DNA sequence: TGGCTCTCTGAAATCGATTGTATTTTAGCC
DNA sequence: GGCTAAAATACAATCGATTTCAGAGAGCCA
């Protein structure tokens, strides 16, 4: 165990007061350059590192932000979902670029606990919350009592907190229009439309049909949570019950990949028999067979946006909600009708 | 911004000394049950949360652990690699189960910085390091000066730090033996054998051949880093140069999936023409087409193991290195010879 | 009732830094 | 050289908790 080396130890070695050491380390102009150099040299030699607990206590800040991933209760989705994980990676990168640490929290219980544990305890200066399923009110309350919160989710107009997300309606429309333009007529929607974001993607699905003056069957929705397994089974059942379809728009890439799988296991080929579009553009999307056409949520951009907005809030500056660039990525899981 | 409520505020309201409040909140037997209840009730009402900076400063601990993901310099691998991300998820889960926070660090620079920033600064009580490529010496040094480190990697016998990982030799042998038992004779190895872990997997590959009295061609190695793109290109090139092979053992699932892809784009079918085994068992492995036969590293178990061992170390107890359960998961990417 | 033990609570030191204020040193100028 | 202003450093309070030690009060026994 490395014996701890404190600032007063460093001060003693440099034969100056501890306050001078503090200023020197923080590059204050109050310290004579010559003295500063000497102190920094010694600090480096003895491997001094400031004690953040003391620093945070005095400065009343933590130089850390928290990312909270509250899993939708009852959903199969786990932290192992690639979308969440990529989001953690992206936020982690953006945070460290800004010199902030990232604390990951996957609350088992109520989100209120996570807020207390991270924000009010002073552990983090701000919070990024991924997903808002059924928590709009709580998020509004949290945001009212402490404004340093940025949320990833879909814009429903009932939020008074800063929101970042893809343009879900646009994304849904892009995906569906693409399928329609390929000549697909019976498009199955995969996703639980009672979830925020997913409802907006379905709204885009409807709009695309209307814009193209095409009819859509409201029964062509498989209300699936985000788990791959339930999607696999759901699609199999849908096929086996005799429903006919030639296109699928899935509310996530994991669902889309599970659907591809289910179709293939029933002897259908993609994209000849059924064209498929996913949503998210997770890393694995381009490695699926066939590579998946999908809506790019731009997770990397989104993570950076959230961190930027959060730091702006922490600094007391305005932080308006934003969309990430939302675009269609065309790969081989879509093809025109024979 | 919620106005901060401190312990002395709480003490004032409860008409007791702050020291009594502290004891009450920490459930000390020194406080009369009646008093304790009253204090807890008020604390709950005003939403008091202990200030961790003050607490950590006084207790000289942080109740947090750090996970460091030093990307191999020069490798294509990014934090978005599913293996790393799943590891973060797994460690995060295990940490929170034990009441610890998890701080994610993806050092851009030298790992020494991360160690300083997290450990010596008192931000974290211990560190989990994922991967040891080219850092054995530094890790040994870190471990010598502060023993609260657990590393994920391959056992080469030159480490004096606590190591957790899959049994890479066994895994490589299981994978290769399986391919040989299916009648495959020319097995391509995908992976950079100059990396730790990968070399051990190749060692297993060699052993399996020896055990089966089969010859192997030392040229059948594609020295790929972990990036999917380079694997895709590498395999294409290998095919186009006229090399003949009927099996692939890839050092990671991402590589295996990229290989499947490359083969399919050259008109080969899996598993009829080529049997493929991956390594890791990431979540997407079962959703690939065909589903991927792979070696399960048991990431979930590994994360829990590392956290357990790290907390043991922090508590001053012994923490011996361990293997996770390493097993072959048979899916459809392997098939016998026609 | 006096003395003693046993509970419980309060006072005060402490963790390691930052920062406002006081004080010393240096520099500039006639 | 002596005076003042400016620059550099030292002093001391402070952040919010934990914990040691001391003391107050209650209960018990003779």
């Amino acid at each position: 165990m490395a014996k701890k080396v404190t600032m007063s130890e460093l001060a003693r070695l440099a034969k100056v007061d501890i306050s001078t050491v503090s200023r020197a380390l923080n590059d204050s102009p109050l310290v004579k350059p010559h003295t500063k150099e000497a102190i920094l040299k010694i600090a480096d030699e003895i491997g001094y590192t400031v004690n953040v607990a003391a620093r945070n206590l005095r400065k009343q800040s933590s130089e850390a932000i928290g990312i909270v991933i509250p899993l939708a209760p009852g959903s199969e989705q786990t932290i192992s979902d690639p979308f969440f994980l990529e989001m953690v990676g992206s936020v982690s990168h953006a945070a460290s670029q800004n010199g902030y640490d990232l604390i990951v929290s996957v609350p088992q219980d109520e989100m209120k606990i996570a807020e207390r544990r991270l924000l009010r305890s002073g552990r983090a200066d701000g919070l990024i919350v991924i997903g808002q399923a059924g928590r709009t009110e709580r998020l509004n309350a949290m945001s009212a009592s402490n404004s340093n919160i940025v949320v990833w989710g879909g814009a429903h107009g009932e939020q008074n907190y800063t929101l970042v997300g893809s343009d879900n309606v646009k994304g849904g429309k892009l995906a569906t229009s693409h399928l329609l333009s390929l000549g697909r007529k019976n498009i199955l929607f995969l996703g639980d439309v009672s979830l925020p974001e997913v409802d907006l993607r379905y709204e885009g699905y409807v709009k695309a049909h209307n814009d193209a003056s095409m009819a859509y069957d409201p029964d062509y929705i498989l209300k699936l949570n985000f788990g791959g397994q339930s999607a696999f089974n759901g699609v199999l059942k849908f096929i086996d019950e005799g429903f006919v379809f030639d296109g699928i728009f899935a509310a996530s890439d994991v669902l889309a990949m599970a659907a591809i799988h289910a179709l293939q296991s029933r002897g259908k080929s993609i994209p000849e028999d059924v064209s498929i579009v996913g949503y998210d553009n997770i890393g694995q999307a381009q490695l699926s067979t066939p590579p998946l056409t999908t809506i790019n949520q731009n997770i990397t951009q989104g993570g950076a946006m959230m961190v930027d907005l959060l730091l702006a809030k922490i600094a007391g500056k305005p932080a308006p909600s934003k969309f990430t660039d939302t675009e269609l990525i065309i790969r081989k899981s879509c093809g025109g009708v024979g």
Side-chain angles (χ1 to χ4, degrees), chain A residues 105-118:
Chain A
S105 167
V106 184
Q108 320 283 310
D109 33 40
E110 253 210 88
M111 197 169 51
K112 186 164 142 192
I113 313 280
E115 183 208 356
R116 273 213 188 176
R117 210 176 138 70
L118 290 176

Side-chain angles (χ1 to χ4, degrees), chain A residues 166-184 187 189 200-212 248-250 275-280 293-298 323-331 334:
Chain A
S166 67
D167 186 337
N168 289 285
V169 177
K170 177 183 169 191
K173 213 168 130 183
L174 283 173
T176 313
S177 295
H178 181 62
L179 288 168
L180 291 171
S181 75
L182 292 170
R184 302 302 181 178
I187 303 171
F189 182 88
L200 297 174
R201 291 170 200 175
Y202 185 68
E203 190 181 322
Y205 166 95
V206 171
K207 277 199 174 141
H209 280 87
N210 290 340
D211 286 3
I248 291 182
F249 170 36
S275 282
I276 298 186
V277 182
Y279 205 107
D280 284 347
T293 294
T294 190
I295 301 297
N296 186 9
Q297 293 218 61
N298 236 318
F323 283 136
T324 59
D325 295 335
T326 306
E327 57 188 354
L328 178 70
I329 307 275
I330 297 179
R331 299 204 185 91
C334 283

Side-chain angles (χ1 to χ4, degrees), chain A residues 9 27 33 53 58 66 77 93 98 110 134-135 145 156 168 198 213 221 234 275 279 287 299 335:
Chain A
E9 170 75 3
D27 203 24
R58 178 60 225 234
Q77 204 173 26
H93 183 76
N98 287 279
E110 253 210 88
R135 298 183 213 87
S145 64
H156 289 78
N168 289 285
V198 175
S213 304
I221 299 181
S275 282
Y279 205 107
L287 286 182
I299 299 177

Side-chain angles (χ1 to χ4, degrees), chain A residues 88-110:
Chain A
V88 171
S90 150
V91 169
S92 153
H93 183 76
S96 79
Q97 291 279 314
N98 287 279
Y100 273 69
D101 279 329
L102 182 69
I103 301 175
V104 179
S105 167
V106 184
Q108 320 283 310
D109 33 40
E110 253 210 88

Side-chain angles (χ1 to χ4, degrees), chain A residues 25-277:
Chain A
L25 294 175
N26 289 292
D27 203 24
S28 156
L30 288 178
V31 180
K32 201 202 299 208
H34 178 255
T35 316
K36 197 180 287 182
E37 271 172 41
I39 293 174
L40 289 178
K41 183 156 171 290
I42 298 178
D44 189 53
E45 283 168 10
I46 64 177
Y48 171 78
T49 303
V50 67
N51 178 308
V52 289
R55 173 179 229 272
N56 293 347
L57 175 58
R58 178 60 225 234
K59 306 232 319 188
Q60 302 286 62
S61 77
S62 70
E63 308 256 295
I65 61 179
I67 183 168
V68 181
I69 305 180
L71 302 180
S75 112
E76 242 181 63
Q77 204 173 26
T78 71
I79 176 68
S80 65
D81 187 294
F83 170 75
F84 283 150
L85 292 174
E86 289 191 16
M87 193 56 98
V88 171
S90 150
V91 169
S92 153
H93 183 76
S96 79
Q97 291 279 314
N98 287 279
Y100 273 69
D101 279 329
L102 182 69
I103 301 175
V104 179
S105 167
V106 184
Q108 320 283 310
D109 33 40
E110 253 210 88
M111 197 169 51
K112 186 164 142 192
I113 313 280
E115 183 208 356
R116 273 213 188 176
R117 210 176 138 70
L118 290 176
L119 265 190
R120 322 204 24 178
S121 68
R123 222 183 262 268
D125 295 339
L127 235 48
I128 287 176
V129 179
I130 307 297
Q132 52 182 355
R135 298 183 213 87
T136 312
E137 287 157 41
R138 163 140 301 283
L139 288 169
N140 275 332
M142 277 167 66
S143 186
S145 64
N146 182 314
S147 58
N148 293 338
I149 291 184
V150 172
V151 179
W152 175 275
H156 289 78
E158 62 214 20
Q159 302 98 343
N160 59 24
Y161 42 84
T162 299
L163 196 69
V164 172
S166 67
D167 186 337
N168 289 285
V169 177
K170 177 183 169 191
K173 213 168 130 183
L174 283 173
T176 313
S177 295
H178 181 62
L179 288 168
L180 291 171
S181 75
L182 292 170
R184 302 302 181 178
K185 296 194 163 33
N186 300 296
I187 303 171
L188 174 61
F189 182 88
L190 293 188
D192 182 351
V193 289
S194 71
L195 296 175
E197 298 201 88
V198 175
D199 57 351
L200 297 174
R201 291 170 200 175
Y202 185 68
E203 190 181 322
Y205 166 95
V206 171
K207 277 199 174 141
H209 280 87
N210 290 340
D211 286 3
S213 304
M214 296 283 293
Y216 62 92
D217 186 338
D219 285 339
Y220 271 45
I221 299 181
L222 285 188
K223 193 177 164 182
L224 303 164
N225 57 36
F226 281 103
Q229 197 54 48
S230 75
F232 181 79
N233 296 332
V235 172
L236 279 190
K237 187 155 168 261
F238 196 73
I239 298 170
D240 295 345
E241 283 172 353
F243 287 94
V244 175
F245 57 98
D246 53 9
I248 291 182
F249 170 36
S252 84
D253 286 348
V254 171
L255 294 182
M257 288 166 81
I260 288 180
H261 215 222
L263 286 164
Q264 287 172 335
S265 77
R266 282 293 183 268
K268 309 273 183 194
S269 54
I270 319 292
E272 291 75 12
D273 298 329
V274 181
S275 282
I276 298 186
V277 182

